[in-house]
Amino acid sequence: MPIKQVHSIPAHVDRIWNLAPHPKLPLLAAATSDKSAQIYSLNTYFPVAQLDGNHKRSIRSVSWKPSSGRQSEAVLATASFDGSVGVWIRDSEQYSPNFGSTGDSGNVGLEEWEFVAALEGHENEVKCVDWSCEGTYLASCSRDKSVWIWEADEDNEEFECLAVLQDHTQDVKHVAWHPNEDLLASASYDDTIRLWREDDDDWVCSGEIIGHRSTVWCIDFDKTTAEGKARLVSCSADETVRVWSRQSMTGNTSTRDIPSTFRSDPISENWQQEAILPQRHSGPIYAVSWSGQSGRIVSVGADGLLVVYQEVKTGEWTVIAEEEDAHSVFEINTAVWSKKWKSTSPHGQEVDKEKDESNQEQEEIIITGGDDGNINIWEVMVQK
Amino acid sequence: MSAILSAQDLNDFIGPGLACINPVVVNRSETNGHTEIQIDAGGNPVEVSVNGTSNSATKTATQLTPAQINLSDCLACSGCITSAESVLVSLQSHTELLSVLRQSRGHIGAEDGNDLGSKRPKRVFVASISHQSRASLAAAYNISVDRVDAKLVTLFRDILGFQYLVGTGVGRQISLAYSAQEVLLKSGKFTDINSSSVEPKKPVLASICPGWICYVEKTHPHVLPYLSDIKSPQQITGSLLKRLISQETGASADEIYHVSVMPCFDKKLEASRPDFATGEGVRDVDCVITTKEVVQLLIDENIDFMSITESEDARGGNFQALAPKLWPPGKSWESSEGSSSGGYLWHVLAALSDEIKKVEGKSTSLKVIPGKNSDMVEYNLVVTDGDKEEVVAKAAQVYGFRNIQNLVRKLKTGGKTGARSVVSARAKKTAGAATATLVPTEYDYVEVMACPGGCINGGGQIGAPTTDGGDVFGLKEWRDIVENQYKSIRSSCVERHAVQEWVAKVWGSETDSLMTTSYRAVEGLDTKDAVPAVLVGDKW
């Protein structure tokens, strides 16, 4: 069996909307329908904190700030249907960096995290938030068709609105930043993906990707690209998963000392479709994630199917694993790749490292969340 | 010719709101049977309650009145109307203007004794033109503003048949003078001119941008107390014109049709505010048309702007022949110091500086602190005493929606978005900050404009020319060109006391009706709590 469910966390909510693993710490954030964000330890799969009491409606999306000054201080942004974005901080002075080691029975009391900022301004439901690669910017998008870019001060309390971008013509579903450039991508109900960059002191739409025939639900960047290159994967209600790559860029990004009145080239980039991944889904595909570790892509959707793809050579992909009814009869809303923190299985059995040939592939896991209110953990076993 | 009209859509810079905030109120009657809407024999909609208890349904029918939303209601909404061209076109547009002109004269042009609607009273037509619109026309046709003015005189008076044509400069001077005075009173710094009835208030926010006002009234009512009470140049000009022309010609205010040429569409909404109409519904400004619509009017009437003769009456910037008798000669065509959005910030700072000099005997110098982007700048009035620098007044310029967001948020929370109170964060914000951080409660005045770049870049201004190959000018380049045309207009000083004397002479002592206005919060559906009536598909 190429893929196996190794664990399931019952979150005791109606629905898990979104999941986000912390980039460095063994923490998993879950956006849930009961107006709270739940934090789990990826060492033990036990709950660490419940962030509630501030949002008035479901939390649709969560995102960890990539780096913060203080070690093991975790900063989480939450996007809610109540129209606001919340920012929460785990006080590193109060809690030890140890998030529970393997073998704990999970009797730790839940931590209290601090709600430090409420970003208001969107007219209605905020669908997604994402921090930029170095945590400089926070992007949010909403049903009000706009994408906002915010900048935080060092303490993550003062947020300034830098841009309100209204180029999309419909509900914006997802925003994602490039892994090392200050390039933002957004996906919308208007079937397009837009790219945004800073030009002088203004954020502008530098490119548009047209090709999907229906709502684009989710996008993720390739994290293994060489400098100057960019690729992203998108999934849509048109039942396709597509990979796009940037062919060229005009308008200078490097020679910033030329005053704008002399430059007549507007900043722009040209993206082309590189591949349509093998069709497997029979319903809207709600989430894609591109692994920074293995380069594999996972997609999940309304049909309850989980599919894993591998790139054979540039532009050519095969399906290496599939799981039907991954959340029984329910729709799957989110899927993310994560480093595998837990080195033993939940039952405490040691994995024999010498005998297990596919040990290397087990260093990452897939985490999915669905309408059944469960968080499922998967491992891909790949035959050589 | 059509190359001059840009491909930009007709929208203003604050994006449209989604929900119509004027909900249709349905009166539920006591009948507990279900009702349906049917068309009766006369073709009118009726609501019929079907009483289901008996076999033969007994029906009671109530006549339904059509749901009505008029322009004044939509004023509250700031959103769907500014983008809904069809609604605007029907009420205030160049086609409406042409039709009114035709009705009054029979045909556009020479005076005609037999107009078609012979029972209608003869209307007096007056136009006022904003400086930004003149600059935009000058840039678009690549001629000087003086030549544009001369052509406009011929266009409005000789071709279209207007009796009066003025610039908005007089209205602006009055608006500037009284705005400066308001800030002096509210700054709480000067005890000698402080009348006890004025409460100190910081900051005072400019209220002449109707896009900004609509946004505040609809979504951020907590900002209302900070808005300046002074009317915009458009409206002051309107009030003055209607009264002076009425006195001069004997025509009543509703027989005077005042058209104002403005750089944006939100000015149409400002003209329709109920505050700017008299009890009988007569408005100070009857119709606002944008610069773009002037060009459209020329196209529709097959008039080539460049071929219009440049009227002699415009020579010397005098234009006295086209203004009411009591109108100060030339002043209405002159611009003022400061920004191309009216120079409010400049005049307030000048007034503060003068007053400090007069009262405390100290000279001030101006320190400019740029903000995060070109639309946000802070100004400090500084008194230097040896090597000590004391900041005696602060003001800021905040243009564009993204900067307005920050302003509005900080006014709500008093400077902090967060719930945590951290002393160290406060210590970082020193007076000598390298870039301006917006701290509204420390400012005496903020010049707020909804459009990035201010009025010169309004949604109704003419865009950069394009050729088949693409844009000839970049957006910023074009803005600079229009701005330079604006700056080429001769400007004059605003002498506050001279202005006040003139106002007293011309209007009388009851200056509030000329000068001041008020704002109110708009009650509407809270869109965040409302669930859409139709959920298309489960996932959203």
Side-chain angles (χ1 to χ4, degrees):
Chain A
M1 179 160 51
I3 185 166
K4 153 174 116 175
Q5 181 178 315
V6 295
H7 194 65
S8 177
I9 307 173
H12 307 295
V13 294
D14 283 338
R15 158 188 287 166
I16 303 282
W17 275 117
N18 190 238
L19 292 166
H22 193 283
K24 295 199 176 61
L25 306 167
L27 288 177
L28 177 73
T32 76
S33 53
D34 78 343
K35 310 173 195 165
S36 72
Q38 294 181 4
I39 313 292
Y40 291 90
S41 158
L42 283 172
N43 279 329
T44 61
Y45 299 139
F46 286 125
V48 165
Q50 170 114 342
L51 311 184
D52 59 9
N54 283 87
H55 283 299
K56 298 184 182 54
R57 287 181 66 187
S58 297
I59 299 190
R60 181 62 179 84
S61 167
V62 280
S63 175
W64 295 99
K65 188 168 181 184
S67 57
S68 69
R70 293 157 227 179
Q71 192 144 34
S72 82
E73 180 184 75
V75 180
L76 183 75
T78 51
S80 170
F81 282 164
D82 69 6
S84 73
V85 171
V87 181
W88 311 73
I89 293 189
R90 177 184 192 264
D91 192 348
S92 56
E93 275 149 51
Q94 212 184 340
Y95 298 106
S96 72
N98 195 1
F99 293 101
S101 52
T102 56
D104 253 343
S105 58
N107 269 343
V108 221
L110 289 184
E111 295 178 7
E112 291 277 322
W113 291 31
E114 217 177 329
F115 179 73
V116 295
L119 276 51
E120 290 171 3
H122 276 296
E123 289 184 37
N124 44 46
E125 295 84 5
V126 187
K127 300 298 178 88
C128 189
V129 264
D130 196 32
W131 293 90
S132 66
C133 56
E134 291 184 8
T136 325
Y137 305 114
L138 179 64
S140 63
C141 67
S142 162
R143 180 165 73 82
D144 67 8
K145 308 174 196 169
S146 66
V147 173
W148 290 43
I149 300 181
W150 309 80
E151 190 178 59
D153 70 349
E154 290 160 25
D155 299 309
N156 296 305
E157 294 183 14
E158 280 292 323
F159 280 82
E160 291 250 318
C161 171
L162 293 183
V164 177
L165 306 162
Q166 294 169 319
D167 297 47
H168 275 295
T169 56
Q170 292 291 349
D171 184 358
V172 189
K173 301 289 190 187
H174 199 86
V175 277
W177 289 92
H178 188 279
N180 38 56
E181 290 175 26
D182 279 337
L183 168 68
L184 177 69
S186 61
S188 167
Y189 182 75
D190 68 9
D191 307 352
T192 69
I193 301 164
R194 282 183 183 267
L195 295 128
W196 315 88
R197 295 194 163 275
E198 199 170 9
D199 182 8
D200 230 0
D201 61 355
D202 252 323
W203 282 82
V204 293
C205 178
S206 55
E208 204 184 347
I209 296 176
I210 302 175
H212 277 295
R213 290 184 319 275
S214 185
T215 307
V216 186
W217 277 104
C218 186
I219 42 181
D220 197 15
F221 276 95
D222 183 358
K223 297 154 191 72
T224 60
T225 46
E227 190 172 317
K229 294 258 177 280
R231 290 203 299 174
L232 64 81
V233 63
S234 63
C235 64
S236 163
D238 69 2
E239 300 173 13
T240 64
V241 178
R242 304 188 195 204
V243 171
W244 312 84
S245 93
R246 182 171 64 203
Q247 304 302 313
S248 62
M249 270 209 297
T250 58
N252 68 72
T253 41
S254 49
T255 51
R256 288 178 162 278
D257 36 2
I258 298 181
S260 63
T261 46
F262 288 106
R263 290 191 286 119
S264 50
D265 281 346
I267 219 166
S268 82
E269 44 196 290
N270 184 355
W271 285 71
Q272 297 295 328
Q273 183 176 297
E274 192 179 84
I276 299 188
L277 270 48
Q279 199 114 5
R280 284 290 188 277
H281 285 282
S282 53
I285 311 172
Y286 292 135
V288 268
S289 180
W290 202 326
S291 168
Q293 207 169 315
S294 60
R296 290 173 177 166
I297 289 179
V298 62
S299 69
V300 289
D303 55 3
L305 195 63
L306 186 161
V307 189
V308 184
Y309 314 80
Q310 182 152 305
E311 197 168 23
V312 170
K313 62 177 207 272
T314 310
E316 225 178 270
W317 293 77
T318 56
V319 174
I320 57 165
E322 255 180 88
E323 178 82 12
E324 282 180 7
D325 300 328
H327 282 258
S328 71
V329 301
F330 295 94
E331 297 189 349
I332 316 176
N333 300 318
T334 178
V336 286
W337 290 95
S338 167
K339 173 179 163 180
K340 183 181 172 188
W341 290 89
K342 206 175 186 6
S343 58
T344 62
S345 73
H347 304 294
Q349 291 153 4
E350 287 288 333
V351 172
D352 192 331
K353 294 194 180 177
E354 273 183 36
K355 287 190 191 155
D356 203 320
E357 282 160 10
S358 54
N359 186 42
Q360 271 201 303
E361 310 328 304
Q362 283 177 353
E363 277 176 15
E364 64 176 1
I365 51 174
I366 297 170
I367 316 177
T368 58
D371 282 355
D372 54 355
N374 286 336
I375 299 170
N376 292 343
I377 318 285
W378 309 83
E379 281 178 30
V380 178
M381 331 294 225
V382 167
Q383 307 88 349
K384 290 276 171 153
Chain B
M1 182 69 115
S2 55
I4 289 175
L5 280 179
S6 77
Q8 291 165 304
D9 354 81
L10 295 160
N11 59 5
D12 291 278
F13 283 88
I14 290 184
L18 284 178
C20 174
I21 68 135
N22 191 18
V24 178
V25 177
V26 177
N27 294 317
R28 291 250 166 262
S29 59
E30 287 90 52
T31 54
N32 40 17
H34 76 266
T35 58
E36 27 178 74
I37 296 177
Q38 296 174 358
I39 307 293
D40 70 1
N44 304 310
V46 288
E47 185 182 285
V48 171
S49 69
V50 182
N51 200 336
T53 50
S54 56
N55 280 335
S56 61
T58 49
K59 296 182 184 181
T60 50
T62 15
Q63 182 106 62
L64 289 174
T65 51
Q68 278 190 330
I69 301 174
N70 56 38
L71 189 58
S72 299
D73 290 330
C74 279
L75 183 77
C77 193
S78 101
C80 74
I81 184 119
T82 59
S83 296
E85 185 187 355
S86 50
V87 183
L88 286 176
V89 164
S90 68
L91 287 168
Q92 283 190 51
S93 66
H94 69 283
T95 49
E96 166 76 8
L97 169 62
L98 289 173
S99 119
V100 170
L101 282 166
R102 283 198 176 90
Q103 275 185 329
S104 184
R105 301 216 182 281
H107 63 269
I108 296 175
E111 303 233 324
D112 194 314
N114 327 324
D115 37 14
L116 300 169
S118 55
K119 292 244 169 63
R120 290 174 72 87
K122 203 74 182 303
R123 276 175 125 154
V124 178
F125 287 87
V126 51
S128 61
I129 316 221
S130 68
H131 305 326
Q132 295 92 350
S133 296
R134 290 155 62 200
S136 177
L137 284 165
Y141 290 98
N142 201 14
I143 53 176
S144 72
V145 177
D146 285 333
R147 289 185 60 193
V148 165
D149 292 343
K151 288 181 190 293
L152 287 173
V153 169
T154 312
L155 172 66
F156 278 93
R157 187 185 55 184
D158 304 329
I159 301 175
L160 296 175
F162 278 68
Q163 281 101 324
Y164 297 92
L165 179 66
V166 296
T168 50
V170 172
R172 182 194 278 185
Q173 290 223 346
I174 296 173
S175 185
L176 287 171
Y178 283 88
S179 295
Q181 174 156 297
E182 182 188 16
V183 179
L184 288 177
L185 286 173
K186 287 184 179 171
S187 71
K189 291 197 222 295
F190 309 107
T191 47
D192 57 339
I193 60 169
N194 225 351
S195 74
S196 54
S197 60
V198 178
E199 254 184 63
K201 194 107 204 163
K202 263 162 89 147
V204 174
L205 305 176
S207 59
I208 54 157
C209 172
W212 160 236
I213 298 300
C214 283
Y215 182 62
V216 165
E217 286 184 327
K218 182 193 170 200
T219 46
H220 296 287
H222 67 277
V223 174
L224 288 170
Y226 298 98
L227 294 172
S228 160
D229 299 321
I230 307 298
K231 294 204 289 202
S232 71
Q234 169 180 295
Q235 295 304 137
I236 293 178
T237 302
S239 304
L240 275 175
L241 284 172
K242 290 250 169 165
R243 186 180 283 201
L244 291 182
I245 293 174
S246 174
Q247 285 169 357
E248 198 169 286
T249 63
S252 65
D254 64 327
E255 289 164 346
I256 301 169
Y257 193 80
H258 174 207
V259 176
S260 199
V261 181
M262 285 289 149
C264 76
F265 290 90
D266 280 332
K267 284 289 179 186
K268 296 181 192 257
L269 302 181
E270 184 179 34
S272 335
R273 282 176 78 89
D275 316 73
F276 299 142
T278 63
E280 302 84 50
V282 179
R283 300 201 301 249
D284 287 333
V285 180
D286 295 288
C287 181
V288 170
I289 57 174
T290 61
T291 328
K292 275 187 196 173
E293 287 172 289
V294 170
V295 177
Q296 192 58 53
L297 186 151
L298 293 167
I299 294 173
D300 287 355
E301 293 297 301
N302 270 317
I303 302 168
D304 175 26
F305 190 72
M306 291 306 280
S307 323
I308 299 177
T309 47
E310 291 164 33
S311 169
E312 286 295 312
D313 283 325
R315 206 154 286 281
N318 193 305
F319 307 91
Q320 193 50 46
L322 296 137
K325 288 192 190 60
L326 291 172
W327 206 254
K331 279 250 185 281
S332 66
W333 295 86
E334 281 171 9
S335 178
S336 350
E337 301 271 5
S339 72
S340 51
S341 303
Y344 284 81
L345 186 66
W346 195 97
H347 283 82
V348 163
L349 284 172
L352 283 168
S353 172
D354 288 345
E355 201 67 21
I356 289 171
K357 181 83 191 259
K358 196 172 85 175
V359 168
E360 299 173 32
K362 298 179 189 160
S363 304
T364 55
S365 58
L366 189 66
K367 202 163 155 187
V368 180
I369 304 169
K372 272 200 163 69
N373 53 66
S374 56
D375 281 328
M376 208 246 111
V377 189
E378 189 180 298
Y379 298 87
N380 289 348
L381 274 181
V382 172
V383 167
T384 2
D385 189 3
D387 22 308
K388 271 195 304 174
E389 241 183 33
E390 191 202 336
V391 177
V392 290
K394 279 187 173 183
Q397 168 188 306
V398 172
Y399 293 175
F401 192 53
R402 58 183 168 161
N403 294 314
I404 285 178
Q405 279 307 301
N406 295 324
L407 174 70
V408 151
R409 211 175 48 251
K410 291 188 185 189
L411 279 173
K412 192 173 190 177
T413 62
K416 294 224 153 275
T417 43
R420 223 196 220 177
S421 69
V422 178
V423 176
S424 58
R426 227 173 263 280
K428 281 181 221 145
K429 292 179 173 55
T430 59
T435 45
T437 49
L438 202 54
V439 192
T441 42
E442 285 178 13
Y443 299 139
D444 293 286
Y445 189 74
V446 185
E447 183 175 299
V448 186
M449 297 293 155
C451 298
C455 302
I456 203 74
N457 195 29
Q461 295 284 68
I462 303 168
T466 54
T467 60
D468 286 331
D471 293 325
V472 175
F473 297 106
L475 283 177
K476 288 200 173 125
E477 263 182 283
W478 181 247
R479 203 188 285 185
D480 287 340
I481 291 172
V482 185
E483 183 95 28
N484 285 333
Q485 288 282 18
Y486 178 92
K487 289 193 183 130
S488 74
I489 302 174
R490 188 172 55 246
S491 75
S492 59
C493 270
V494 176
E495 279 279 296
R496 204 160 77 245
H497 297 293
V499 169
Q500 286 170 328
E501 271 173 36
W502 186 82
V503 166
K505 185 177 84 178
V506 159
W507 192 268
S509 55
E510 186 248 317
T511 51
D512 272 0
S513 56
L514 173 64
M515 216 76 67
T516 58
T517 182
S518 60
Y519 314 97
R520 61 206 60 79
V522 173
E523 300 296 320
L525 290 173
D526 190 347
T527 53
K528 292 173 203 142
D529 291 338
V531 179
V534 178
L535 276 177
V536 180
D538 191 29
K539 283 290 143 76
W540 57 304

